Amino acid sequence: MVDDLEETVTETDESGEDEPETDGGVRAYTVRLELVDEPGELLRALEPIANNGGNLLSIHHERGNMTPRGHIPVEVDLESPPDRFDDIVGALRDAGVNVIQAGAEHYGEEISVVLVGQLVESDLSDTLSRIETEIDAVVLDLSLSAPEGTKAVSSARVRLAIDSGRSDEALAAIRAIGSEKELTVVEPLLGGDVP
Amino acid sequence: MKLAVLGAGDVGRSVTDLAGEYGHDVVALADSSSAVIDPAGIDVERALERKVGGDPVGTADPESVFDADYDVLVEATPTTLDDAEPGFSHVRRALEADRHAVLANKGPVAERYDELRTLAADSRGSIRFEATVGGAIPILSTIEDETPQAVTAVRGVLNGTANFILTRMAAEGLDYEHVLAEAQDLGVAEADPTFDVDGTDAALKFVILANVLADGGFSLSDATVEGIQNIPGSALDLAAEDGRTIRLIGEASREGVRVGPRLVPENGALAVTGTRNIVQIETKHAGSLHNSGRGAGGPETATAVLSDVGRLAEL
């Protein structure tokens, strides 16, 4: 074990020398971990982050919220130079920490969709709260247009904050909710040069 | 090249009319009931006059076109779905006789692509079908030049009728039914606009694109298709408040085909207005290319047919 550790340290030093210096640019990242409910676990999980150049921004430690396997979900927001982030995740995994998700910035992306149909009859507030819970999104704003009254077909534009890199997943979930409630979902076109 | 033109609608007539300008001879022209055949080149003007005047194009049996001495069969009969007949059999017969076939008919290329490729592989003739996707716009030849392997996806607007309706709804604040009636008065929409507004026409074109990218494997039933009939003016208003608009957008990649109303930036490249069409060709090494222009019409589509003819090898 001791030998292993020394080797790891040496390797890190060497690669550190070879790496070009960053220009100080940092990005925000969110890492989701699952910790065993034992004293000292949280500190053990945070050390590899600090040791690899990460700057802790916030820690969500949901002690009351156990996973089915009896672990405690922890969400860590941190900043690091983009080229060091993989090292941080690697170091966490080397330290035996269970990394559930890494890289996606929490609520780092915005998407807008337009919903069309019997919005009021199909319970708009239920639609929105299902979108929020099922895709872990936050509704940033909502514009409703019902020129023929709330009993007729109306439209709503919903702006959502979602985790970066998860827009395809989020749109698929909104599509499913829409088809269940017989709503037309007008999705943004993603991909290519389209902003 | 000696052309045999099947179908005497807008496209077939325009091909016949313009062929001479491109240095080709039309040796046969047929619609579903009659044909005119002349090994020295048909009298184009008289044949077109007869057709437009409501008379038979000629006195010959349409069946006899296949016995004529032609190099290229131009398949410009109306698009049909599922078995894509009679268009598919027309192309099959040309290929089995070791002639080339150029299609303006989307049916066979969208519904039976793999069978067409097999027939072409066993023939000295080959098939081309630029006119099936985006009328006058060189889309398939652009993909061919980039090589299909280097193209990751194609997205855009390939139905002028639906685009016209959405443009007018957004600009005038009118509802769908009103604008559709206006489009029919202007001749932009057909009396039965179903295939244009329910996304089927656009889907056929994107299925063809997916077949080209993936070297086959797709038909209309593989596409996820939604139309614009359910889009009210209020949805376009809300989109505009946010600097966006709604367009009937298709997407083709090796993974699949999808057509539906989508939010796009109001001033973005894909938000073309009126009956104009556009595609964005996403490449591996060269970013995105945008090809835009007239996606329908007799002379426009005929130029794509005749460009294809120009790319064929001598038999």
Side-chain angles (χ1 to χ4, degrees), chain A residues 145 155 157 187 189 192-193, chain B residues 234-235 238 258 262-263 282 288:
Chain A
S145 175
S155 306
R157 190 185 69 240
E187 298 170 38
L189 181 68
D193 292 342
Chain B
S234 57
L238 288 175
R258 190 172 159 204
R262 305 290 282 273
L263 288 168
E282 185 185 278
S288 287

Side-chain angles (χ1 to χ4, degrees), chain B residues 4 28 38-39 51 54 68 84 104 135 158 160 210 246 283:
Chain B
D38 188 335
K51 176 68 187 174
L158 285 177
I246 298 174
T283 70

Side-chain angles (χ1 to χ4, degrees), chain A residues 110-141:
Chain A
E110 276 182 30
I111 53 170
S112 289
V113 296
V114 172
L115 306 174
V116 179
Q118 300 287 350
L119 293 176
V120 176
E121 203 161 278
S122 64
D123 195 347
L124 184 56
S125 71
D126 172 68
T127 307
L128 296 178
S129 70
R130 279 189 57 189
I131 289 174
E132 285 197 321
T133 49
E134 284 178 33
I135 67 175
D136 189 15
V138 172
V139 173
L140 297 174
D141 64 45

Side-chain angles (χ1 to χ4, degrees), chain A residues 112-114 116 143-148 153-157 159 175 184-195, chain B residues 155 226 230-232 234-235 237-239 241-242 244 246 249 251 258 261-265 270 280 282 287-288 290:
Chain A
S112 289
V113 296
V114 172
V116 179
S143 303
L144 185 66
S145 175
E148 283 155 51
V153 167
S154 47
S155 306
R157 190 185 69 240
R159 194 159 59 94
R175 265 202 305 278
T184 300
V185 179
V186 184
E187 298 170 38
L189 181 68
L190 307 171
D193 292 342
V194 183
Chain B
R155 306 182 183 86
E226 239 186 287
N230 295 331
I231 304 297
S234 57
D237 292 344
L238 288 175
E241 281 174 17
D242 203 21
R244 293 164 205 235
I246 298 174
I249 300 281
E251 294 178 272
R258 190 172 159 204
R262 305 290 282 273
L263 288 168
V264 294
L270 295 188
Q280 174 195 64
E282 185 185 278
S288 287
H290 291 87

Side-chain angles (χ1 to χ4, degrees), chain B residues 187-209:
Chain B
V188 170
E190 293 172 41
D192 179 3
T194 311
F195 278 5
D196 292 315
V197 298
D198 77 359
T200 304
D201 174 73
L204 287 169
K205 295 165 186 171
F206 282 96
V207 165
I208 293 169
L209 286 164

Side-chain angles (χ1 to χ4, degrees), chain A residues 12-187:
Chain A
T12 310
D13 282 346
E14 274 177 2
S15 65
E17 273 176 37
D18 290 340
E19 265 169 19
E21 282 188 29
T22 58
D23 60 2
V26 291
R27 267 187 65 183
Y29 296 92
T30 298
V31 182
R32 287 173 207 218
L33 313 171
E34 277 185 14
L35 299 183
V36 185
D37 191 9
E38 280 172 14
E41 271 299 298
L42 181 59
L43 185 61
R44 197 172 74 81
L46 297 180
E47 267 172 357
I49 297 174
N51 291 346
N52 286 279
N55 180 30
L56 289 168
L57 296 174
S58 70
I59 300 157
H60 266 289
H61 189 209
E62 303 172 52
R63 285 217 73 214
N65 189 4
M66 289 254 195
T67 68
R69 282 180 293 175
H71 295 171
I72 298 172
V74 177
E75 203 170 87
V76 181
D77 291 331
L78 60 96
E79 296 181 324
S80 85
D83 55 348
R84 301 293 303 273
F85 182 66
D86 285 346
D87 294 343
I88 292 173
V89 176
L92 282 166
R93 292 202 161 119
D94 288 347
V97 176
N98 194 2
V99 181
I100 303 303
Q101 191 196 348
E105 287 172 74
H106 201 25
Y107 302 140
E109 212 168 283
E110 276 182 30
I111 53 170
S112 289
V113 296
V114 172
L115 306 174
V116 179
Q118 300 287 350
L119 293 176
V120 176
E121 203 161 278
S122 64
D123 195 347
L124 184 56
S125 71
D126 172 68
T127 307
L128 296 178
S129 70
R130 279 189 57 189
I131 289 174
E132 285 197 321
T133 49
E134 284 178 33
I135 67 175
D136 189 15
V138 172
V139 173
L140 297 174
D141 64 45
L142 168 76
S143 303
L144 185 66
S145 175
E148 283 155 51
T150 51
K151 287 204 160 56
V153 167
S154 47
S155 306
R157 190 185 69 240
V158 187
R159 194 159 59 94
L160 297 163
I162 56 168
D163 291 354
S164 57
R166 292 189 59 206
S167 48
D168 285 339
E169 219 178 302
L171 289 168
I174 297 172
R175 265 202 305 278
I177 296 170
S179 82
E180 195 185 307
K181 294 193 166 214
E182 293 182 5
L183 303 175
T184 300
V185 179
V186 184
E187 298 170 38

